[in-house]
Amino acid sequence: MAISISEKIRDNVFSEKMLKEARTEGLPARLRSDAHRALDLAADAGAIVYNNALTFLENFADERRAPLASLNTASTTLAPAEPVTKG
């Protein structure tokens, strides 16, 4: 919502010609391009971290474990974990 409001304010303050020149000429255009690329890289890295963390947590939660109270007894054997399949 804040971005949409900011864009409307920008469009009301600056002419289309001024925006086109600022986006295509010189150093500001290069900085704009580099900022877009950097933001895209950060978004990709964030998405990868999020997806891997979610997969790890899903696999951790789905793995079969012995109850906590039985961990103190030496005779308890843990059930083997079953592979997690997504489908």
Side-chain angles (χ1 to χ4, degrees):
M1 186 169 129
I3 294 172
S4 296
I5 293 170
S6 298
E7 288 174 335
K8 288 178 184 178
I9 292 170
R10 176 205 60 203
D11 293 341
N12 289 332
V13 172
F14 301 107
S15 70
E16 185 66 31
K17 181 182 175 187
M18 288 176 74
L19 289 171
K20 185 177 179 183
E21 287 176 8
R23 291 176 179 164
T24 58
E25 295 181 15
L27 182 62
R30 180 62 191 204
L31 291 174
R32 178 184 174 90
S33 173
D34 289 348
H36 280 221
R37 291 173 55 208
L39 183 60
D40 195 41
L41 286 171
D44 287 344
I48 290 169
V49 168
Y50 171 80
N51 286 337
N52 285 335
L54 191 59
T55 300
F56 172 78
L57 290 174
E58 286 174 348
N59 288 337
F60 184 79
D62 290 342
E63 188 176 319
R64 217 178 139 118
R65 291 176 186 73
L68 291 177
S70 66
L71 292 177
N72 293 332
T73 61
S75 63
T76 302
T77 57
L78 297 176
E82 297 177 17
V84 176
T85 58
K86 291 187 177 187

